[in-house]
Amino acid sequence: MPSYTVTVATGSQWFAGTDDYIYLSLVGSAGCSEKHLLDKPFYNDFERGAVDSYDVTVDEELGEIQLVKIEKRKYWLHDDWFLKYITLKTPCGDYIEFPCYRWITGEGEIVLRDGRAKLACDDQIHILKQHRRKELETRQKQYRWMEWNPGFPLSIDAKCHKDLPRDIQFDSEKGVDFVLNYSRAMENLFINRFMHMFQSSWSDFADFEKIFVKISNTISERVMNHWQEDLMFGYQFLNGCNPVLIRRCTKLPEKLPVTTEMVECSLERQLTLEQEVEQGNIFIVDFELLDGIDANKTDPCTLQFLAAPVCLLYKNLANKIVPIAIQLNQVPGDENPIFLPSDAKYDWLLAKIWVRSSDFHVHQTITHLLRTHLVSEVFGIALYRQLPAVHPIFKLLVAHVRFTIAINTKAREQLICEYGLFDKANATGGGGHVQMVQRAMQDLTYTSLCFPEAIKARGMDSKEDIPYYFYRDDGLLVWEAIKMFTADVVGIYYQSDQVVEEDQELQDFVKDVYVYGMRGKKASGFPKSIKTREKLSEYLTVVIFTASAQHAAVNFGQYDWCSWIPNAPPTMRAPPPMAKGVVTIEQIVGTLPDRGRSCWHLGAVWALSQFQDNELFLGMYPEEHFIEKPVKEAMARFRKNLDTIVSVIAERNKDKKLPYYYLSPDRIPNSVAI
């Protein structure tokens, strides 16, 4: 009688093992086997991290094995089981791999296909077509779209983390409890004694050092020592944690009536301001998005304020970017003066602090939350709804949406919800952050997620012209490496543009993103369908780059750049100054966040800047969804290209006092998971 050797691998994460009864059936082209209990006498099967083998004898020839069915039945108490993969050795000596990498919960069952990636057009056998269809029907019931707030990209229909499908939950919910993590961060930073001191002002700038943790030679300490300098202020628009706003100024805006006479002492080329603009030496950052946004009113004891500054910057003869004019609100007038480097020291300093605070708000809510977290969640939900596990694009992208839906669900539960942690310390809490996302959706376009296009659209693409823009330089290297990899994978499975166009599952995935994620807005420029291999490769690059590199660039520098509170105040407790010559140091300190808010802010940026335990970085694919040699070779080439980029960045950073490493591939997690 034919005998098969079945090898079963259990996951190594916490609680992955099971004591339940596990049954296996084989479905072949010539028949189906009986249900076999996988059990070895006097042996604890399916322990966490175990790889167990069993001999399964069947009554008759089964032909070519098409499916493996696994059933889990209760032994004592229900426990979930994480099945990594099953390998089958056939009576002829062939090995067939069946990747799974999923949880089987309760009295559950799972039906697996072998690991070869297949498009729908490759499946001619009825049972395989049926399996494909059933999987998507089941997933579409589990992964439902929901509107969390009007105008937002749609998100997962789940009120809290435990409502999510088990496969996309965190291994341990405790690890991502924001309240716990922020509180623990404050303990680790030895600042918890200040955390309840709301309304209590610091006495001066030096007083902020009481909550500032010094770790020698870090960027954060350099920020603390140099934050008041114009060079440090300008540098952050290029390489801080929000390097996406600065753009070349091609025409001075009417709302900023600045003249050559005003900024003469800042210009180094003996040219007029208009001539400097023509030569491409003037840059602008406009916080128009914040105009009219409601400031946080959740604490009746503390008034909080927002501004909507316009900041003009100049490329000096050393090719460094420095600020030359700041107007703190959008409408010019006597009560909205243009602050200049030639003004009194504290006038100019407070104007820069207002810009830094505004930058913090746009960074947190738009650059970080909307344009990485929420966008990646859209890709993730559409992926699970429209692409079966056997589809090559599912296999490619699943690592890049790992834990994203879970972290966003947790954020909606604890962080950005009404009365959430975001309200504690941020001037845009209490609803302002929601208004900001609703406004920013107008500018969320497909091309703005294509890294080279986004850089070019801001006039920031010339390396000769703007030599110290490391975010751009490193981002382009990583983008190209990802694009080469996706083009390799697309080339393996799609022999022509026609195959792309006729892949209905792929088209449904792209359409789901457009209709539900982007709310069907034509102006978003998101494709409704994809017709060529080149466009598919670009689309996949957008998905992977957004989830990995873009998120890393704007997330993991938060402690470096935002831990020195005066450099990134999360709230301001007095309105912007309406006249020059009246600002004092006492007024600045009274405007900056109080002790309690400073602590919550510090706990947040510390917690958000930490990598996950067992983080998986770009190019790491420990879950072997792909089994074919050509794809594994493409992955190896991808890793080699990424290693080269790591070396290039390390070499450039070697002697830098301010190294830029956020886009070094060995520091870029695969997915948005923090």
Side-chain angles (χ1 to χ4, degrees), residues 350-368:
L350 182 56
K352 288 192 294 180
I353 291 171
W354 267 107
V355 172
R356 294 294 317 134
S357 183
S358 303
D359 190 65
F360 174 80
H361 297 311
V362 172
H363 166 260
Q364 284 294 12
T365 304
I366 308 307
T367 309
H368 183 211

Side-chain angles (χ1 to χ4, degrees), residues 65-107:
I65 300 299
Q66 293 164 339
L67 300 170
V68 168
K69 187 176 179 182
I70 298 286
E71 295 175 62
K72 185 164 81 70
R73 299 291 174 255
K74 189 162 86 172
Y75 167 66
W76 183 245
L77 292 169
H78 270 311
D79 52 1
D80 298 344
W81 178 42
F82 189 85
L83 171 60
K84 282 171 73 176
Y85 61 82
I86 286 175
T87 306
L88 206 60
K89 185 185 177 189
T90 68
C92 316
D94 295 332
Y95 285 87
I96 311 172
E97 293 176 54
F98 294 84
C100 180
Y101 302 103
R102 285 167 61 191
W103 290 93
I104 306 177
T105 59
E107 300 247 312

Side-chain angles (χ1 to χ4, degrees), residues 125 155 159 178 189 201 213 347 370 397-398 431 442 447 449 465 480 482 531 583 597:
I125 301 163
S155 46
K159 284 195 171 62
F178 286 107
L189 298 168
S201 292
V213 179
D347 280 1
L370 172 60
L397 295 183
V398 67
Q442 311 308 316
T447 49
L449 296 178
D465 225 13
E480 281 308 314
I482 295 171
K531 296 187 170 144
V583 178
R597 284 179 177 81

Side-chain angles (χ1 to χ4, degrees), residues 281-293:
N281 298 323
I282 303 294
F283 299 83
I284 192 165
V285 181
D286 188 349
F287 295 94
E288 188 176 11
L289 183 90
L290 288 165
D291 192 28
I293 296 292

Side-chain angles (χ1 to χ4, degrees), residues 595-616:
R595 293 167 191 252
R597 284 179 177 81
S598 298
C599 287
W600 279 97
H601 167 80
L602 205 54
V605 296
W606 171 269
L608 289 169
S609 300
Q610 307 307 305
F611 292 123
Q612 290 275 0
D613 294 339
N614 309 316
E615 190 72 81
L616 297 176

Side-chain angles (χ1 to χ4, degrees), residues 115-281:
R116 291 170 300 171
K118 297 284 182 188
L119 300 176
C121 63
D122 300 327
D123 283 342
Q124 302 303 323
I125 301 163
H126 173 71
I127 193 170
L128 297 180
K129 288 180 176 180
Q130 188 184 37
H131 175 264
R132 202 174 186 114
R133 192 182 68 249
K134 272 189 175 170
E135 182 182 9
L136 289 181
E137 283 171 1
T138 305
R139 290 235 214 100
Q140 283 165 15
K141 286 174 191 161
Q142 290 180 310
Y143 296 82
R144 299 173 307 278
W145 294 105
M146 176 197 74
E147 184 178 68
W148 186 65
N149 256 304
F152 271 53
L154 294 196
S155 46
I156 195 80
D157 184 5
K159 284 195 171 62
C160 56
H161 182 266
K162 68 175 188 301
D163 293 344
L164 294 170
R166 183 67 182 90
D167 286 330
I168 59 167
Q169 289 183 23
F170 281 103
D171 297 332
S172 160
E173 197 183 347
K174 250 189 198 163
V176 285
D177 186 299
F178 286 107
V179 177
L180 197 68
N181 286 352
Y182 287 17
S183 305
R184 196 181 290 144
M186 286 186 263
E187 279 176 38
N188 291 344
L189 298 168
F190 306 109
I191 58 171
N192 43 337
R193 66 187 185 279
F194 297 112
M195 66 189 281
H196 301 298
M197 295 171 70
F198 290 91
Q199 288 82 51
S200 166
S201 292
W202 303 95
S203 53
D204 52 29
F205 291 144
D207 205 21
F208 281 98
E209 288 194 53
K210 286 180 180 163
I211 61 163
F212 186 76
V213 179
K214 287 190 188 180
I215 306 158
S216 63
N217 297 324
T218 63
I219 290 173
S220 56
E221 191 169 346
R222 192 161 183 83
V223 171
M224 180 191 79
N225 292 326
H226 299 276
W227 70 282
Q228 298 187 40
E229 297 166 16
D230 287 356
L231 278 172
M232 177 63 89
F233 178 90
Y235 178 87
Q236 291 179 72
F237 285 118
L238 296 176
N239 302 308
C241 56
N242 196 23
V244 301
L245 297 185
I246 188 169
R247 57 176 59 244
R248 197 187 293 276
C249 181
T250 52
K251 184 178 182 293
L252 291 167
E254 286 179 20
K255 64 183 174 186
L256 183 66
V258 64
T259 63
T260 300
E261 292 69 44
M262 286 178 171
V263 295
E264 212 163 11
C265 60
S266 299
L267 307 180
E268 298 180 353
R269 293 178 178 86
Q270 273 72 56
L271 300 172
T272 66
L273 182 57
E274 285 72 20
Q275 288 170 327
E276 293 280 19
V277 169
E278 278 170 32
Q279 291 206 1
N281 298 323

